[in-house]
Amino acid sequence: MSIPRKIIIDTDPGQDDAVAILLALASPEELDVLGVTAVAGNVPLPLTQKNTRIVCELAGKPDTKVFSGCDAPIARKLVTAEHVHGKTGLDGPVMPDPTMPLQDQHAVDFIIDTLRAEPAGTVTLCPLGPLTNIATAFERAPDIIGKVQEIVLMGGAYFQVGNITPAAEFNIYVDPEAAKIVFASGVPIVVMPLDVTHKALTNRVRVEAFRKFGNEAGRMVAEWTDFFERFDKEKYGSEGAPLHDPCVIAYLLKPDLFSGRHVNVEIETTSELTLGMTVADWWGVTDRTPNAMFMGDVDAEGFFALLNERIARL
Ligand code: BDR
Ligand code: CA
């Protein structure tokens, strides 16, 4: 058996973040979750760190180390997404307050210390929210940049363009300066943009499958998706909701589910109109150096089969 891959999940739960965390914690043979770092995003930091602990407890993993990180983007005021995720960020089922502790250390210090302590090229970062914690760690400790194995993140869009503005995806829009630092870092990056996540859509059959497992985690996933489906159905006229963030973890477990192109991606930080846009050179029309594997497609059936199999284990 191979050694599980060491990962740090950086997150702003968010129902889809929650499903991603459950998927990772349900996969200990493949993934060793060194810690989960919370960042402000979908809702403010006090809620994202609390929600992270709620989800770890739901997974039956109260020993998971959870850290609280940056409460605002590097250079801007925080923009949140209660209109999608509800007031708590995890609206839907009523969840008990967590009893597991929050670690004393700041998330950024944890990321820095972990990358310094572990052998180079053995820790993968999995950002599921704005990139504030990761970029702050890179700025504060440039020596860790070369030690990161890979960054697999949810953010951006090319063909789907934007979901928070006509030109930008939420995670990148909230902290474009952070995104710029990360995309310029030279670390190998895999991007799960809206182009992919809008193909990882729930539907009635897929949601009912979760409910039928008979475990608490399955029921919660069904109720969370019930809640945030209403927003996407209204907005896109789609059958269900995109499970954005679980695509990141699914990629670590089964990379063959995804396909894309290794291209250059630049982040717009100055234009008011297109702030946070991920300018991906999908068609190779510039000579800019490719810096990211930008995914374009997912085998949705395979993705949900994996998710079902893992959530049923919890
Ligand atoms: C991203 O923004 C958040 O609302 C989701 O959790 C996901 O990470 C999608 O644009
Ligand atoms: Ca998220």
Side-chain angles (χ1 to χ4, degrees):
M1 217 178 71
S2 56
I3 304 166
R5 183 168 177 174
K6 288 181 239 179
I7 66 169
I8 296 174
I9 302 176
D10 188 69
T11 180
D12 64 336
Q15 293 89 349
D16 63 317
D17 300 72
V19 180
I21 296 167
L22 292 179
L23 179 59
L25 294 179
S27 308
E29 289 91 6
E30 295 100 333
L31 300 176
D32 177 6
V33 182
L34 300 179
V36 187
T37 52
V39 68
N42 285 322
V43 284
L45 187 66
L47 289 170
T48 59
Q49 61 88 348
K50 177 178 162 192
N51 291 346
T52 303
R53 290 182 293 135
I54 289 175
V55 177
C56 292
E57 284 187 359
L58 173 63
K61 305 276 168 121
D63 294 340
T64 310
K65 289 184 178 163
V66 174
F67 302 82
S68 194
C70 299
D71 62 1
I74 288 178
R76 293 171 195 273
K77 266 185 69 182
L78 178 66
V79 175
T80 52
E82 284 87 355
H83 60 294
V84 184
H85 300 276
K87 204 159 48 68
T88 66
L90 271 189
D91 275 20
V94 179
M95 310 279 296
D97 277 350
T99 56
M100 65 178 276
L102 182 66
Q103 301 295 309
D104 291 335
Q105 196 180 22
H106 192 280
V108 170
D109 294 322
F110 168 72
I111 293 169
I112 293 172
D113 287 359
T114 304
L115 281 160
R116 283 183 176 158
E118 298 289 341
T122 63
V123 178
T124 294
L125 303 177
C126 304
L128 311 176
L131 289 157
T132 321
N133 285 342
I134 310 295
T136 305
F138 284 4
E139 289 282 273
R140 206 177 289 168
D143 58 292
I144 65 171
I145 297 174
K147 296 193 74 183
V148 179
Q149 180 178 9
E150 195 174 25
I151 296 174
V152 185
L153 67 89
M154 191 281 137
Y158 180 68
F159 294 99
Q160 294 281 315
V161 198
N163 61 356
I164 185 76
T165 74
E169 180 280 329
F170 179 79
N171 289 342
I172 306 295
Y173 176 78
V174 172
D175 199 340
E177 283 74 19
K180 199 180 183 82
I181 291 167
V182 169
F183 277 84
S185 67
V187 176
I189 301 177
V190 176
V191 183
M192 294 292 163
L194 297 179
D195 309 337
V196 167
T197 67
H198 281 182
K199 292 174 185 159
L201 286 180
T202 59
N203 59 30
R204 257 314 91 205
V205 176
R206 288 169 177 167
V207 173
E208 290 317 312
F210 288 119
R211 215 183 309 270
K212 281 190 200 129
F213 298 155
N215 63 359
E216 191 67 355
R219 194 167 66 81
M220 292 301 150
V221 171
E223 292 192 22
W224 284 328
T225 41
D226 279 345
F227 176 83
F228 73 83
E229 256 183 21
R230 95 225 171 278
F231 171 81
D232 294 276
K233 280 178 171 166
E234 228 170 80
K235 183 171 172 192
Y236 300 109
S238 57
E239 225 191 313
L243 285 185
H244 304 283
D245 295 338
C247 289
V248 166
I249 306 299
Y251 173 79
L252 298 176
L253 298 171
K254 276 198 164 194
D256 293 349
L257 291 173
F258 301 89
S259 58
R261 294 185 183 185
H262 193 232
V263 299
N264 177 269
V265 181
E266 302 292 332
I267 310 296
E268 176 59 61
T269 56
T270 54
S271 156
E272 227 176 272
L273 195 60
T274 59
L275 185 70
M277 189 172 199
T278 43
V279 182
D281 189 7
W282 184 262
W283 302 112
V285 293
T286 74
D287 54 9
R288 296 197 281 259
T289 310
N291 59 349
M293 184 67 193
F294 201 84
M295 292 303 179
D297 216 344
V298 56
D299 165 4
E301 286 304 324
F303 169 77
F304 277 95
L306 173 67
L307 207 49
N308 284 6
E309 188 227 309
R310 298 303 161 102
I311 302 296
R313 287 181 180 179
L314 291 171

